[in-house]
């Protein structure tokens, strides 16, 4: 995807005023419906700007799931949709009109599953991941969907103002669980991780 800027700043500019429903991963998946996308993206970029729980004043660990929720991605964001579709491999399988996409062959009166695309956006914390506290991180657990899914990581970010969750300093001792034979040290890495389990 090289045509458009897939960054928090671009989504903040274009859609920041929208009020959306989010999930607070630290509050047992509590729904948060009073925030705008601008508040979400500012918290993504700057940890100190993250919305707080009123009762405890703790920063929320927000996840914006299945966005846009009720609108077709292609209708809401036609330029982003075209850019995303151009980047997908296996076009015969991944595109709505691809010859190998079975949804293409459903009868016109059938109700097809929501084939997306959708955006999944979330805050994360390196120390929660290292501690194995997966319930409080902004991630999606192993699950089964109605249709096949293709995941594409388009942006990752470590907030520069989050000193307590910063990557380890250069040359410091690395936890053995973060050493990988193929990739080397993952201690300073950020981004997506997928666990694949053979069936």
């Amino acid at each position: 995807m090289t045509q458009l800027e897939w960054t928090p700043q671009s989504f903040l500019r274009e859609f920041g005023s929208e009020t959306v429903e989010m999930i607070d991963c630290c509050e047992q998946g509590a729904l948060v419906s009073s925030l705008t996308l601008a508040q979400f993206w500012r918290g993504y970029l700057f940890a100190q700007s993250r919305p707080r729980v009123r009762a405890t004043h703790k920063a929320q660990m927000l996840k914006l799931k299945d966005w846009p929720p009720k609108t077709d991605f292609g209708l809401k964001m036609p330029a982003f949709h075209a850019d995303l579709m151009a980047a997908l491999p296996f076009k015969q399988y991944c595109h709505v009109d691809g010859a190998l996409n079975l949804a293409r062959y459903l009868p016109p009166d059938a109700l097809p599953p929501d084939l997306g695309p959708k955006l999944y956006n979330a805050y994360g914390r390196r120390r929660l991941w290292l501690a194995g506290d997966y319930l409080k991180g902004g991630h999606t657990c192993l699950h089964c969907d109605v249709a096949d899914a293709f995941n594409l990581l388009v942006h990752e970010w470590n907030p520069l103002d989050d000193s307590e969750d910063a990557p380890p300093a250069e040359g410091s001792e690395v936890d053995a669980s973060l050493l990988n034979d193929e990739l080397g040290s993952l201690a300073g890495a950020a981004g997506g991780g997928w666990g694949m389990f053979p069936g």
Side-chain angles (χ1 to χ4, degrees), residues 42 55 61 89-90 105 123 135 140-141 156 184 194:
R42 275 195 295 272
M61 181 68 68
F90 316 116
Y105 301 103
Y123 301 165
L135 297 177
T140 299
C141 293
E156 61 81 20
W194 285 267

Side-chain angles (χ1 to χ4, degrees), residues 145-165:
D145 284 328
V146 172
D148 291 341
F150 191 93
N151 294 296
L152 186 63
L153 179 66
V154 296
H155 193 272
E156 61 81 20
W157 178 258
N158 282 323
L160 302 177
D161 65 338
D162 195 359
S163 59
E164 66 181 52
D165 201 42

Side-chain angles (χ1 to χ4, degrees), residues 5-196:
E5 183 185 356
W6 288 79
T7 64
Q9 294 87 342
S10 66
F11 286 105
L12 206 157
R13 273 192 310 271
E14 292 193 44
F15 310 105
S17 63
E18 286 185 32
T19 300
V20 294
E21 193 170 83
M22 299 175 217
I23 298 168
D24 185 353
C25 300
C26 283
E27 294 293 316
Q28 290 79 40
L31 290 179
V32 179
S33 56
S34 59
L35 299 175
T36 63
L37 281 172
Q39 290 170 296
F40 174 84
W41 289 116
R42 275 195 295 272
Y44 179 86
L45 291 168
F46 303 102
Q48 301 305 318
S49 297
R50 290 182 177 170
R52 305 218 169 244
V53 177
R54 284 193 180 121
T56 64
H57 301 290
K58 286 185 178 180
Q60 293 177 319
M61 181 68 68
L62 296 176
K63 176 165 47 170
L64 176 60
K65 184 178 173 190
D66 289 331
W67 185 71
K70 297 180 178 113
T71 309
D72 181 85
F73 189 100
L75 295 174
K76 184 174 186 70
M77 301 178 265
F80 283 100
H81 184 267
D83 195 40
L84 180 64
M85 291 297 111
L88 290 179
F90 316 116
K91 293 182 185 346
Q92 290 184 334
Y93 183 73
C94 291
H95 282 223
V96 172
D97 60 350
L100 299 176
N101 186 338
L102 297 180
R104 173 185 178 184
Y105 301 103
L106 289 172
D109 59 340
L111 182 62
D114 181 1
L115 299 175
K118 296 289 186 185
L119 293 178
Y120 287 76
N121 311 283
Y123 301 165
R125 296 302 300 259
R126 178 183 310 277
R127 61 189 163 83
L128 291 177
W129 179 70
L130 289 174
D133 195 350
Y134 304 117
L135 297 177
K136 294 183 180 170
H139 67 279
T140 299
C141 293
L142 182 64
H143 64 283
C144 183
D145 284 328
V146 172
D148 291 341
F150 191 93
N151 294 296
L152 186 63
L153 179 66
V154 296
H155 193 272
E156 61 81 20
W157 178 258
N158 282 323
L160 302 177
D161 65 338
D162 195 359
S163 59
E164 66 181 52
D165 201 42
E170 189 77 28
S172 62
E173 190 174 326
V174 176
D175 185 317
S177 67
L178 295 176
L179 295 174
N180 182 286
D181 293 338
E182 200 174 325
L183 302 174
S185 173
L186 303 175
W194 285 267
M196 302 306 223

